[in-house]
Amino acid sequence: MASTGMKAGPDLTEAFRSPVSRPPSAWQKNFDVAFKYLAHAFGAGVVLLLGGVVFEVMRHAKTAIADYGFKFLTTSTWDANRADFGILPEILGTLYTSILALGMGGFLGITVALVLSQGFVPRKVELAMKNVIELLAAIPSVVYGLWGIFVLVPLLRGPAGWLNEHFESIPFFSTRLSGPGILPAALVLSIMILPTVTAISREAMAAVPKRLAAAAYGLGATRWEVIFNVTLPTSAGGIFGALVLGFGRALGETMALAMLVGNANVFGFSLFSPGNTLAALLANHFPEAGNVEVGALMYAALVLMLITLAVNALGSWIMLHATRELKGLG
Amino acid sequence: MAHAATNPQEIPAQQSSFRKSLSEPRTLVNTALTVLALLFSVFAMFPLFSVLYMLLAKGATQLSLSLFTELTPGAGMEGGGIGNAIVGTLVVVAVSTVLALPLGFMGAVYLAEYGGESKLAVVVRFCGKVLTGLPSILAGVFAYAMVVVTTGSFSALAGGAAMAVLMIPTVMLTAESALRAVPSKMKMAAFGMGATRAQVVTKIVIPTAIPGILTGVMLALARAMGETAPLLFTALFSDYWFGGELLKPIASLSVLIYNFAGSPFEHQIALAWAASLVLVTIVLVLNVIAQIVTRRPEEH
């Protein structure tokens, strides 16, 4: 349907010309029914797509599950030649890097959300900052990986060496940073989840009824007293949901980790030691995997899928309840 | 500090001063926290500027005509460009758009116009949200199982299929809200004139919602362009031009950056920076276009 003349509106000239009381023709009726079924079919197609993703991964993982069973999750060898596979270091590495990233990215993300929602800066600056944070999310993760290799890792080498020399007894600093490792990976990961945390928690803070904060200001509270006693407790549900969704994002992020985590099949608490994650394992082994290894990788993909789906479902559920709770306050 | 004072009788006992001066502890704490928060915010934006600076410093120096017209150089070789990767990215994204648009778009039409709050609609919307949170590498695993295993080779089609899985939920959910934003008065007027639902949807709702739908497509495209993980073992890479065969491996900018970032050769690393500059430019332009197309009215 051409919409010439009028902007942002359908062309009604033809409709005006046709007799108003004419019932739809047979063709129009058939088209109506066909279109309805088509829409339903495509809607169901989205369900089938998700089902297909889950089913395909499970189908290909079936033999590996039968072969390696539960031992797959609790052992740490990855040897394609002897068909001996275990993903314990990857599971721990995935959780460890994501928790570290959540600690840093979550804290910064909530702080930025406060600055963007509580009138700290003029409206124009607020908008500019919001755009900059959104751009952070637009940069492809492989570019962050490249930046991490050539900017972040050299930058960290000095402080990491110093910490290792002086505080070697603390487990976090017990090894040297030889290049890629847990810390640079977690740092880049925190940059990548920051926009998610900021966007969602900012919305939760903005949804706090203005009169609540105004009442506290009226009692003589300072800005931060209002934030700690009114804004944060009221929007806590939404902020928690934002953190969970950010965590879900961190768990599944691949490229920055594949490039920065070191791909060593070990797990240690040292921030400077290399490690591995489930997503990075898939990225590094899939392209050259033989039949046996593909089975094991499918099993690993299934584990990753179950973890991320559970975390994301939890996050969505929290968000749903957080918005419902706020509705009663307006 | 966890909760507001719940007992009103406690308030007079606090005797807090309302004087605003830095010598007052309350004001001092307030100001200090404000300064800290602003510092942290600036710190949070630092990586973006650092990335952009590096792209310009390392990537812009590589820009030349041959960068866009020549094939990727082999290990240790000089010269060459990233022409095949640029073409490859466009081909893969085109394939994924063709695969993703019908499902995403018609899924949105179903949700906005037919589903309502029915059980199927709730399930469809939930699946859409779950797909949004699906790690991109799992989309690659799915395409590997579906296309690579079936056809027996890495291919542009497999890469496009993996990307399509990632595009569909974005397209669907943004298109749904665009379709829902169409004023019901317009629909009612058409129904009142005896239009069938299909006519209302195809002649009134969809044309009106086109800008919003396009935004979703742009954002999905921008996201797909930068994705690497799903291409690693679906599209793989190729050092040659795209020859019109969708069932052969194909180059892409993102995989090029990944491969060359780990290269021991200075020249390949330089090309990785140049490719990053090109990729980020395309992605940012798509984002800006998406924002212009919607011209969303400001919140609040």
Side-chain angles (χ1 to χ4, degrees):
Chain A
M1 186 89 201
S3 54
T4 44
M6 269 181 297
K7 236 185 162 188
D11 186 358
L12 294 174
T13 42
E14 195 194 329
F16 282 129
R17 216 178 287 128
S18 60
V20 173
S21 58
R22 179 172 58 79
S25 66
W27 189 87
Q28 282 167 334
K29 270 193 229 163
N30 290 337
F31 175 67
D32 187 43
V33 174
F35 193 77
K36 179 180 156 191
Y37 284 121
L38 193 71
H40 276 76
F42 276 99
V46 175
V47 182
L48 287 181
L49 179 68
L50 179 63
V53 171
V54 177
F55 175 78
E56 276 296 314
V57 174
M58 278 170 108
R59 189 167 69 92
H60 284 81
K62 212 168 55 191
T63 18
I65 295 175
D67 285 355
Y68 310 113
F70 195 67
K71 194 177 79 77
F72 188 69
L73 307 177
T74 55
T75 54
S76 338
T77 353
W78 191 273
D79 189 340
N81 295 327
R82 288 189 292 149
D84 191 5
F85 302 106
I87 53 166
L88 183 65
E90 281 78 17
I91 295 177
L92 294 176
T94 303
L95 294 174
Y96 191 42
T97 48
S98 298
I99 289 170
L100 286 173
L102 187 67
M104 296 182 283
F107 173 74
L108 277 184
I110 293 171
T111 312
V112 174
L114 279 175
V115 169
L116 291 183
S117 67
Q118 303 301 309
F120 278 98
V121 286
R123 195 80 189 87
K124 271 189 181 163
V125 182
E126 211 170 82
L127 205 68
M129 280 176 71
K130 195 172 149 257
N131 285 335
V132 169
I133 298 292
E134 272 171 18
L135 284 187
L136 267 179
I139 305 272
S141 64
V142 70
V143 175
Y144 279 125
L146 186 70
W147 177 80
I149 292 176
F150 293 103
V151 178
L152 193 61
V153 170
L155 208 66
L156 288 173
R157 208 164 265 155
W162 186 85
L163 283 169
N164 174 238
E165 241 167 64
H166 292 83
F167 301 99
E168 209 180 338
S169 50
I170 302 174
F172 293 131
F173 310 130
S174 58
T175 58
R176 302 194 66 83
L177 184 72
S178 55
I182 299 277
L183 182 65
L187 274 174
V188 169
L189 210 48
S190 67
I191 299 168
M192 302 183 66
I193 65 168
L194 184 135
T196 312
V197 176
T198 300
I200 304 175
S201 52
R202 184 183 156 275
E203 258 171 46
M205 291 168 191
V208 174
K210 291 272 178 291
R211 63 176 88 167
L212 290 185
Y217 279 124
L219 289 169
T222 63
R223 195 202 297 274
W224 283 92
E225 284 165 356
V226 172
I227 288 174
F228 282 123
N229 295 311
V230 178
T231 313
L232 287 181
T234 316
S235 55
I239 295 174
F240 189 57
L243 290 176
V244 176
L245 290 176
F247 188 60
R249 201 167 161 216
L251 290 172
E253 171 48 44
T254 311
M255 293 322 294
L257 289 156
M259 295 166 87
L260 288 168
V261 82
N263 304 311
N265 210 24
V266 289
F267 175 75
F269 278 102
S270 170
L271 295 176
F272 310 137
S273 70
N276 210 351
T277 70
L278 286 169
L281 175 87
L282 296 176
N284 283 312
H285 288 266
F286 237 118
E288 281 138 32
N291 267 339
V292 185
E293 198 177 3
V294 164
L297 287 168
M298 286 288 180
Y299 193 177
L302 184 65
V303 174
L304 175 65
M305 182 155 68
L306 293 179
I307 297 177
T308 48
L309 287 190
V311 170
N312 281 323
L314 178 72
S316 307
W317 186 80
I318 293 171
M319 290 308 297
L320 196 72
H321 282 255
T323 41
R324 266 189 206 155
E325 269 167 30
L326 273 182
K327 270 183 192 150
L329 282 172
Chain B
M1 289 245 227
H3 287 283
T6 44
N7 186 351
Q9 284 168 334
E10 278 174 15
I11 292 170
Q14 283 183 345
Q15 288 296 330
S16 40
S17 161
F18 293 134
R19 210 156 55 88
K20 199 177 178 189
S21 148
L22 277 182
S23 59
E24 292 295 332
R26 289 179 66 208
T27 321
L28 193 66
V29 168
N30 190 54
T31 313
L33 283 174
T34 302
V35 171
L36 270 181
L38 291 176
L39 278 180
F40 278 132
S41 301
V42 173
F43 180 66
M45 290 187 286
F46 166 76
L48 179 74
F49 293 113
S50 175
V51 168
L52 293 181
Y53 169 78
M54 287 301 286
L55 288 180
L56 291 176
K58 296 240 183 178
T61 49
Q62 305 290 319
L63 290 182
S64 65
L65 188 64
S66 61
L67 183 76
F68 296 95
T69 57
E70 286 182 24
L71 290 170
T72 42
M77 286 181 0
E78 288 300 310
I82 55 171
N84 51 333
I86 296 176
V87 173
T89 292
L90 296 178
V91 171
V92 172
V93 167
V95 171
S96 66
T97 310
V98 169
L99 293 176
L101 265 193
L103 187 53
F105 177 66
M106 284 305 284
V109 169
Y110 166 72
L111 283 180
E113 297 298 327
Y114 291 96
E117 294 302 317
S118 69
K119 264 189 193 143
L120 179 63
V122 171
V123 174
V124 170
R125 210 170 285 124
F126 175 78
C127 288
K129 288 219 170 108
V130 171
L131 280 173
T132 329
L134 186 81
S136 61
I137 190 144
L138 291 180
V141 173
F142 171 65
Y144 181 90
M146 286 287 284
V147 186
V148 177
V149 172
T150 318
T151 61
S153 95
F154 298 104
S155 63
L157 183 67
M163 295 277 200
V165 175
L166 297 171
M167 284 181 74
I168 285 166
T170 317
V171 171
M172 184 176 79
L173 296 175
T174 46
E176 189 204 344
S177 52
L179 292 170
R180 276 183 189 276
V182 174
S184 60
K185 274 184 199 170
M186 290 173 73
K187 289 197 272 181
M188 291 309 151
F191 277 127
M193 293 174 75
T196 62
R197 185 170 274 277
Q199 283 174 321
V200 173
V201 173
T202 52
K203 300 194 173 176
I204 309 286
V205 179
I206 294 174
T208 315
I210 278 291
I213 295 170
L214 278 181
T215 311
V217 175
M218 293 281 179
L219 290 177
L221 273 178
R223 186 182 164 200
M225 285 254 175
E227 283 292 353
T228 316
L231 293 184
L232 282 176
F233 43 88
T234 52
L236 213 67
F237 196 76
S238 155
D239 283 325
Y240 305 101
W241 291 105
F242 170 64
E245 293 146 304
L246 288 177
L247 289 176
K248 281 197 167 174
I250 191 167
S252 60
L253 282 170
S254 52
V255 175
L256 178 144
I257 299 169
Y258 175 65
N259 288 344
F260 282 7
S263 158
F265 301 104
E266 284 297 322
H267 182 59
Q268 290 193 331
I269 294 172
L271 282 179
W273 281 108
S276 301
L277 179 64
V278 174
L279 183 60
V280 169
T281 309
I282 299 176
V283 170
L284 291 190
V285 166
L286 279 173
N287 271 288
V288 170
I289 293 178
Q291 275 173 9
I292 293 174
V293 171
T294 31
R295 268 181 264 107
R296 253 192 320 204
E298 254 307 297
E299 313 162 60
H300 310 301

